[in-house]
């Protein structure tokens, strides 16, 4: 069924019960789709949705009754109301579509949703709720806003490909289980007694707060970071997912919020970068404590018990000192002077092929502590040692000896 390119409104129940409908294209021009418009089109296999900015559906969960639910594509592709999940329906989101309206694909029989472009910035509340045939969920890079309860009670999802570079946080304080509101995390209960794999896309920079909370309460959950762009994991991002398999935190991550793995049982957590981590009860990291994250098994305990409600942060360690090349003045193998910085002076064993046998540096004073440092050192000299040194000879590059 191909509708007119100038069509703006599809009325309520317009094609309800069209059980022979196999393919449907919604044109870009459509702004309003009525309740039950394509309800019970149970044989539908191909839905091309091109409506650029259709309006939200004014629905709520209390509208479910013995006849079904008044979303536009209710039981399209499969008889959801009678728990018949045998479906071949794929929804294709057109390349110019900018938003997925609230409730638009609630309780459809879609097995997959394919985004043909990268224009969608918003996925509305309840957009795919109750679509129990869904096996794969993909979130495009362009998405910046994901509503609440978007995929609630889909139940049979095995793969979630999350590519949103930096989407909005979920406000956990507003969570409600009331049927009229059902303000729940976006992926609440997408997997019911089956294994779920979450793939974090290679360009994702931020994991929003509570984004993946309560996805799989009693199922095996695998989390894969496919790239190294993630710099921060928000508070509660993965909490209340009971069984999480071994996972790896990318080296790019610098901040991790509290309760990220609360009420979870990760078998192990490996840090690609184990240096410079500290924890604090305050977001500003005041009174922070350094923490050893080299043991993957112990890290699971740190995240779920010892420091479960702490903020985590990694400070990049200072780089290894870079030694500045010096221009030495030598006479018959004796260094009598040099030009360049005094920081981290390295005494060479040869210079311009000439073997160095001794070094003479003059200054006015020398302390006993500096003398001892020079006697025992075989590496770079500190600025203070260079300044206070009176006279040093080197018979071998690895041995310093005080002359006077």
């Amino acid at each position: 069924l191909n509708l007119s390119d100038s069509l703006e409104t599809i009325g309520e129940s317009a094609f309800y019960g069209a059980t022979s409908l196999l393919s449907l294209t919604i044109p870009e021009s459509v702004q309003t789709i009525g309740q039950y418009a394509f309800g019970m089109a149970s044989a539908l296999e191909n839905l091309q949705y091109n409506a650029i900015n259709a309006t939200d559906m004014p629905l709520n969960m209390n509208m479910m009754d013995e006849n079904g639910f008044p979303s536009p594509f209710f039981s399209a592709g499969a008889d959801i109301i009678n728990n018949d999940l045998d479906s071949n329906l794929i929804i294709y989101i057109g390349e110019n579509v900018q938003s997925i309206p609230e409730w638009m694909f609630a309780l459809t029989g879609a097995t997959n949703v394919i985004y043909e472009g990268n224009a969608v910035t918003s996925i509305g509340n309840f957009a795919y709720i109750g679509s129990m045939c869904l096996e794969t969920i993909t979130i495009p890079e362009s998405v910046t806003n994901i509503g609440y309860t978007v995929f609630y009670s889909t139940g049979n999802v095995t793969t979630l490909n999350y590519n949103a570079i930096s989407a909005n946080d979920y406000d956990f304080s507003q969570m409600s289980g009331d049927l009229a509101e059902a303000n729940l995390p976006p992926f609440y209960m997408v997997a019911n007694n089956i294994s779920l794999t979450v793939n974090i896309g290679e360009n994702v920079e931020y994991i929003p707060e509570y984004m993946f909370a309560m996805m799989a309460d009693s199922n095996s959950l695998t989390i894969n970071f496919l790239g190294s762009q993630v710099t921060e994991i928000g508070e509660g991002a993965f909490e209340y997912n009971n069984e999480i398999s071994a996972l790896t935190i990318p080296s790019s991550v610098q901040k991790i919020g509290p309760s990220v793995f609360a009420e979870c049982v990760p078998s192990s957590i490996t840090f690609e970068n184990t240096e410079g981590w500290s924890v604090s009860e305050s977001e500003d990291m005041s009174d922070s404590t350094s923490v050893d994250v080299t043991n993957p098994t112990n890290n699971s305990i740190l995240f779920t018990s010892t420091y479960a409600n702490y903020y985590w942060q990694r400070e990049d360690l200072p780089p290894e000192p870079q030694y500045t090349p010096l221009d030495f003045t030598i006479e018959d193998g004796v260094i009598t002077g040099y030009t360049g910085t005094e920081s981290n002076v390295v005494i060479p064993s040869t210079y311009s092929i000439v073997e160095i046998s001794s070094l003479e540096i003059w200054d006015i004073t020398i302390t006993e502590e500096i003398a001892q440092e020079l006697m025992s050192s075989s590496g770079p000299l500190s600025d203070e040692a260079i300044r206070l040194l009176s006279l040093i000879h080197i018979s071998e590059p690895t041995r310093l000896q005080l002359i006077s």
Side-chain angles (χ1 to χ4, degrees):
L1 176 62
N2 293 311
L3 303 173
S4 169
D5 289 341
S6 61
L7 185 67
E8 295 184 357
T9 301
I10 301 174
E12 182 175 330
S13 300
F15 297 91
Y16 182 84
T19 55
S20 297
L21 182 62
L22 297 177
S23 180
L24 168 66
T25 297
I26 305 295
E28 291 187 355
S29 57
V30 169
Q31 298 179 14
T32 303
I33 304 178
Q35 297 181 10
Y36 289 115
F38 298 92
M40 299 302 296
S42 54
L44 190 64
E45 295 182 353
N46 187 315
L47 170 54
Q48 180 70 48
Y49 179 88
N50 296 326
I52 294 176
N53 266 320
T55 56
D56 293 331
M57 299 297 299
L59 307 176
N60 65 65
M61 290 297 292
N62 287 332
M63 300 175 76
M64 173 73 80
D65 58 27
E66 66 276 6
N67 297 315
F69 187 77
S71 60
F73 300 96
F74 167 72
S75 278
D79 189 359
I80 299 294
I81 193 66
N82 291 313
N83 205 34
D84 179 5
L85 305 184
D86 184 14
S87 173
N88 295 312
L89 174 60
I90 297 177
I91 298 175
Y92 297 89
I93 306 298
E95 62 182 2
N96 296 320
V97 175
Q98 298 174 14
S99 64
I100 307 300
E102 294 183 5
W103 299 97
M104 182 57 69
F105 300 109
L107 285 92
T108 70
T111 60
N112 194 2
V113 178
I114 297 175
Y115 293 83
E116 296 179 325
N118 205 28
V120 175
T121 59
S122 177
I123 301 177
N125 304 330
F126 308 101
Y128 298 96
I129 187 174
S131 295
M132 293 185 291
C133 296
L134 267 180
E135 299 171 355
T136 300
I137 295 174
T138 298
I139 305 298
E141 288 188 358
S142 55
V143 171
T144 57
N145 180 72
I146 303 177
Y148 52 80
T149 329
V150 175
F151 296 95
Y152 169 47
S153 197
T154 48
N156 293 301
V157 175
T158 58
T159 304
L160 168 53
N161 300 311
Y162 181 87
N163 300 309
I165 294 175
S166 187
N168 60 297
D169 292 326
Y170 167 75
D171 186 355
F172 198 75
S173 66
Q174 300 299 313
M175 189 177 76
S176 169
D178 181 84
L179 279 178
E181 299 177 2
N183 186 344
L184 298 167
F187 304 102
Y188 182 82
M189 295 302 293
V190 297
N192 184 20
N193 294 321
I194 57 175
S195 297
L196 172 64
T197 298
V198 177
N199 297 314
I200 307 297
E202 60 182 2
N203 294 319
V204 175
E205 298 174 356
Y206 174 60
I207 306 298
E209 295 181 3
Y210 300 99
M211 180 57 68
F212 303 107
M214 305 180 183
M215 292 186 300
D217 183 46
S218 60
N219 310 308
S220 174
L221 173 61
T222 301
I223 302 169
N224 298 320
F225 289 86
L226 302 183
S228 296
Q229 300 298 318
V230 177
T231 59
E232 182 175 356
I233 302 176
E235 178 176 350
F238 297 100
E239 78 168 11
Y240 289 102
N241 289 294
N242 191 31
E243 296 183 14
I244 299 180
S245 59
L247 63 94
T248 298
I249 305 295
S251 59
S252 56
V253 174
Q254 294 181 311
K255 292 183 178 181
I256 302 175
S259 304
V260 166
F261 299 108
E263 303 300 324
C264 299
V265 189
S267 58
S268 68
I269 301 174
T270 300
F271 283 78
E272 284 186 347
N273 190 336
T274 61
E275 301 291 335
W277 282 98
S278 59
V279 295
S280 174
E281 294 183 275
S282 304
E283 188 172 3
D284 62 6
M285 298 303 291
S286 58
D287 300 321
S288 63
T289 302
S290 61
V291 59
D292 180 0
V293 296
T294 57
N295 186 323
T297 303
N298 188 56
N299 290 340
S300 179
I301 299 173
L302 296 179
F303 270 109
T304 59
S305 179
T306 313
Y307 298 120
N309 297 315
Y310 283 62
Y311 293 88
W312 294 62
Q313 184 166 312
R314 177 176 61 82
E315 293 290 343
D316 288 326
L317 297 180
E320 292 293 328
Q322 299 297 311
Y323 303 129
T324 304
L326 304 176
D327 186 11
F328 290 98
T329 303
I330 60 173
E331 294 179 6
D332 298 326
V334 177
I335 298 177
T336 58
Y338 67 90
T339 57
T341 179
E342 293 182 346
S343 300
N344 300 312
V345 176
V346 177
I347 301 170
S349 58
T350 61
Y351 187 77
S352 298
I353 307 178
V354 178
E355 184 176 352
I356 305 302
S357 59
S358 60
L359 166 67
E360 295 181 359
I361 302 177
W362 293 89
D363 205 328
I364 55 174
T365 59
I366 186 167
T367 65
E368 183 178 351
E369 289 78 13
I370 294 300
Q372 292 299 321
E373 174 189 344
L374 296 169
M375 289 286 288
S376 60
S377 175
S378 61
L381 305 181
S382 65
D383 290 350
E384 185 180 9
I386 291 294
R387 285 194 298 271
L388 297 179
L389 189 56
S390 175
L391 176 63
I392 288 184
H393 275 222
I394 304 177
S395 57
E396 297 174 0
T398 57
R399 181 173 176 81
L400 295 173
Q401 191 170 31
L402 183 65
I403 301 302
S404 67

